[in-house]
Amino acid sequence: LFKINLLISITTLLLCQLIIVNRMRSFQATFHYMTHGGAIKNKKLALRLSNYIISMPLLYVNWDRYFQSHVSEHHHPTILCSTDDPDLIFIKQQGFSLCMSEFKFWLLVFFNPLKPNFLLNEIKGATLETFYYPKFINKLISFIFWCSIFL
């Protein structure tokens, strides 16, 4: 009976993780297309939805910082796919490289997120993006959101 309960618990946990990661990824993709004007043509509405529904409560970078990093810097003609591209810099920092073996690639994909330094950097980054960099109103709404969950 214990083994069956453990199997059910592990299966449920993995299923929940899959659903949560999938939904977070869809939020991220929607946010991405909103900054490019592809999801909603009205920029003011896109900004509000992105800041107050998609990114802010979920510990994700706000519209202004994402737009600066992704649209102004990453997609800038002199930076995109160059050695200064923020995405390529991040990928290299995680240990990925050209011509790496498929085995090493999958090891990095599965085990990098479990490294203590990776987790600490993610927590630090999420905390700064939620409670330090945004405008006061965004900080306040995030604070209220997280207090309502933990209190």
Side-chain angles (χ1 to χ4, degrees):
L1 185 61
F2 175 75
K3 287 182 181 181
I4 293 173
N5 286 338
L6 182 62
L7 182 62
I8 291 171
S9 295
I10 291 172
T11 304
T12 303
L13 180 66
L14 291 174
L15 182 61
C16 288
Q17 182 181 7
L18 179 66
I19 292 168
I20 290 168
V21 168
N22 178 273
R23 294 300 82 214
M24 292 297 291
R25 180 66 181 106
S26 69
F27 271 142
Q28 183 185 20
T30 303
F31 185 83
H32 173 261
Y33 288 113
M34 284 181 156
T35 61
H36 284 289
I40 296 176
K41 295 294 179 198
N42 182 333
K43 282 277 193 183
K44 286 183 180 182
L45 178 60
L47 184 139
R48 286 189 181 102
L49 289 173
S50 294
N51 273 339
Y52 300 113
I53 295 176
I54 294 176
S55 68
M56 182 267 315
L58 301 174
L59 300 172
Y60 189 68
V61 65
N62 70 31
W63 175 282
D64 295 330
R65 290 192 34 89
Y66 185 79
F67 191 87
Q68 176 65 34
S69 167
H70 182 72
V71 178
S72 298
E73 294 173 5
H74 172 66
H75 283 298
H76 191 277
T78 62
I79 294 177
L80 185 61
C81 298
S82 73
T83 55
D84 296 326
D85 186 324
D87 289 341
L88 291 177
I89 292 169
F90 175 79
I91 288 168
K92 287 180 181 177
Q93 287 173 343
Q94 303 311 309
F96 294 93
S97 61
L98 291 173
C99 302
M100 67 189 304
S101 71
E102 187 174 349
F103 179 75
K104 183 177 179 186
F105 171 83
W106 288 111
L107 276 178
L108 291 173
V109 166
F110 286 110
F111 292 112
N112 268 4
L114 302 176
K115 292 179 180 177
N117 282 344
F118 183 89
L119 292 170
L120 289 173
N121 284 334
E122 288 297 307
I123 291 167
K124 178 184 175 186
T127 303
L128 290 173
E129 293 297 346
T130 303
F131 300 110
Y132 181 75
Y133 295 124
K135 296 173 186 167
F136 176 76
I137 187 67
N138 298 71
K139 292 177 193 178
L140 180 63
I141 292 170
S142 291
F143 181 76
I144 292 168
F145 175 85
W146 287 104
C147 283
S148 70
I149 289 177
F150 289 109
L151 298 179

